[in-house]
Amino acid sequence: MISIVIPVYNEATVLSEKASFFQQLSQNAELIFVDGGSNDNTCELAKPFGKMVTSEKGRAVQMNTGAKMACNDIILFLHADSHIALDSLKLIEEKIHKHGYAG
């Protein structure tokens, strides 16, 4: 399985609009949302889909915080407003585990 780290900051609108996507994604990967101090309801909206952690604001800090929380050996970084096809997760795992690729 893949751990997906998603840095967020005031992403309530995006999380609301993409709720069905995150629900599907959470069934195929470990989702780790890392909030950089949002002042909207980003944290509440993200919690149902995976881990919700906080860190200092800053994309790199948030991504590193999320990577430390990951339970899997494959980590994918994804922005909240981005999309990845679910079948891509299987292809990534296959390439890394079966073919020894690194990324």
Side-chain angles (χ1 to χ4, degrees), residues 7-9 34-38 53-66:
V8 292
Y9 180 76
V34 186
D35 184 67
S38 295
V53 296
T54 59
S55 77
E56 293 180 35
K57 184 178 176 185
R59 188 170 292 141
V61 173
Q62 290 171 248
M63 292 167 67
N64 287 329
T65 299

Side-chain angles (χ1 to χ4, degrees), residues 60-78:
V61 173
Q62 290 171 248
M63 292 167 67
N64 287 329
T65 299
K68 291 176 187 174
M69 301 293 296
C71 294
N72 299 299
D73 58 347
I74 301 172
I75 301 172
L76 175 76
F77 297 98
L78 186 71

Side-chain angles (χ1 to χ4, degrees), residues 11 15 18 25 32 37 39-40 44 51 54 57 59 62 67-68 70 72 76 83 93-94 101:
E11 301 284 359
L15 292 172
K18 295 181 65 177
L25 195 59
I32 305 166
N39 55 22
D40 62 6
E44 292 79 18
K51 292 179 185 175
T54 59
K57 184 178 176 185
R59 188 170 292 141
Q62 290 171 248
K68 291 176 187 174
N72 299 299
L76 175 76
H83 182 85
E93 286 185 284
E94 179 182 306
Y101 293 173

